[in-house]
Amino acid sequence: DAVASHAPALAEACVQETGIGVAADKVVKIRFACHNVWRSLADRPAAGMIDVDEARQLTEIASPMGVVFGIVPLTNPVSTFVFKTLICLKTRNALIVSCHHNALGVGNRTGEIIQAVLQQHRAPVDLVQWVRQRGSRRKTMMFMKHPGVAFILATGGPSIVKAAYSSGTPAIGVGAGNAPVLICADADLAAAAQMIVQSKGFDNGVICGSENNLVVDASVRTAFVEHLEACGARVLTPQEKETCVK
């Protein structure tokens, strides 16, 4: 709630510092990370015995790993910081965050809000820490390989995700998305076009989950393009495409 209440200011600061995205859309992302992620975790067990399978004689027991190192990307610095904080605190793990060097300012502001809430609730403020000054690939690798780091949550480009998986420390990596999307012959063309334009236009398309390529069944291509245009999409001429690429 504390971060969500600062969402408009943090979103504006994010756009100003990083130079990418749309502030109004980032407000939505920040509040989604604050509220929807929290709701997905609330009232769910995260410690002790969480499941018993009598047939397989298997008992699942949740226990903290220790210190988690979280890498936060340029595209979604505040929302990713909040998301990783929530899942780590829920599971009784400490977190050290490393923000992209071009999002340090807004990363510092987000961390300070989080630590203030920890202090308010008499929790150790250092449960959530972050690299406050400009980092480097060397510093990041030192954290990844540090014996005191139990786990890595790496969100970023392919190189940083590969580095996390190659560090020798257990890791979950999320790299570039932008997957192609298949439009089948029996698809609801109007609904698909509307969702794709909304998704690709949200926050100027910086979210890796937005559609990067459309693979359309030839039998519905013409009709689908018409639906895209009706939703505000623009089909470029070969000359316009060449200009955009340059």
Side-chain angles (χ1 to χ4, degrees), residues 187-201:
D188 183 334
L189 302 183
Q194 183 179 24
M195 288 187 288
I196 288 167
V197 170
Q198 183 180 19
S199 169
K200 193 63 180 175

Side-chain angles (χ1 to χ4, degrees), residues 51-60:
D51 188 55
V52 177
D53 187 331
E54 298 288 357
R56 299 169 63 196
Q57 296 186 335
L58 182 68
T59 300
E60 289 186 51

Side-chain angles (χ1 to χ4, degrees), residues 65-72 83-84 87-88 93-98 139-156 159-174:
M65 294 176 287
V67 177
V68 176
F69 181 56
I71 298 171
V72 169
F83 157 68
K84 293 186 178 183
I87 63 175
C88 285
N93 292 288
L95 173 67
I96 299 174
V97 169
S98 176
K139 183 184 291 185
T140 300
M141 288 306 301
M142 288 173 62
F143 274 109
M144 287 182 175
K145 296 184 177 182
H146 195 284
V149 171
F151 197 75
I152 302 169
L153 291 172
T155 308
S159 61
I160 198 69
V161 172
K162 182 178 180 181
Y165 282 137
S166 304
S167 66
T169 303
I172 294 177
V174 180

Side-chain angles (χ1 to χ4, degrees), residues 25-36:
D25 293 343
K26 290 188 182 297
V27 171
V28 175
K29 281 199 296 187
I30 292 168
R31 288 177 174 162
F32 183 92
C34 294
H35 294 144
N36 291 59

Side-chain angles (χ1 to χ4, degrees), residues 7-174:
L10 291 170
E12 287 286 353
C14 187
V15 172
Q16 290 178 13
E17 185 176 12
T18 65
I20 59 175
V22 179
D25 293 343
K26 290 188 182 297
V27 171
V28 175
K29 281 199 296 187
I30 292 168
R31 288 177 174 162
F32 183 92
C34 294
H35 294 144
N36 291 59
V37 173
W38 177 82
R39 280 194 287 268
S40 74
L41 301 173
D43 300 323
R44 295 182 63 183
M49 188 169 65
I50 60 174
D51 188 55
V52 177
D53 187 331
E54 298 288 357
R56 299 169 63 196
Q57 296 186 335
L58 182 68
T59 300
E60 289 186 51
I61 300 173
S63 63
M65 294 176 287
V67 177
V68 176
F69 181 56
I71 298 171
V72 169
L74 180 69
T75 50
N76 311 295
V78 179
S79 51
T80 308
F81 197 144
V82 170
F83 157 68
K84 293 186 178 183
T85 296
L86 287 172
I87 63 175
C88 285
L89 294 182
K90 173 71 175 182
T91 52
R92 300 182 299 160
N93 292 288
L95 173 67
I96 299 174
V97 169
S98 176
C99 292
H100 190 281
H101 59 266
N102 286 333
L104 269 182
V106 74
N108 285 338
R109 290 176 64 175
T110 305
E112 288 163 2
I113 294 170
I114 291 168
Q115 283 199 338
V117 175
L118 290 171
Q119 186 174 36
Q120 178 185 346
H121 289 275
R122 298 180 181 179
V125 295
D126 287 336
L127 278 175
V128 178
Q129 303 178 39
W130 63 98
V131 180
R132 296 171 185 260
Q133 298 179 350
R134 184 182 177 93
S136 64
R137 181 57 61 92
R138 179 173 174 270
K139 183 184 291 185
T140 300
M141 288 306 301
M142 288 173 62
F143 274 109
M144 287 182 175
K145 296 184 177 182
H146 195 284
V149 171
F151 197 75
I152 302 169
L153 291 172
T155 308
S159 61
I160 198 69
V161 172
K162 182 178 180 181
Y165 282 137
S166 304
S167 66
T169 303
I172 294 177
V174 180

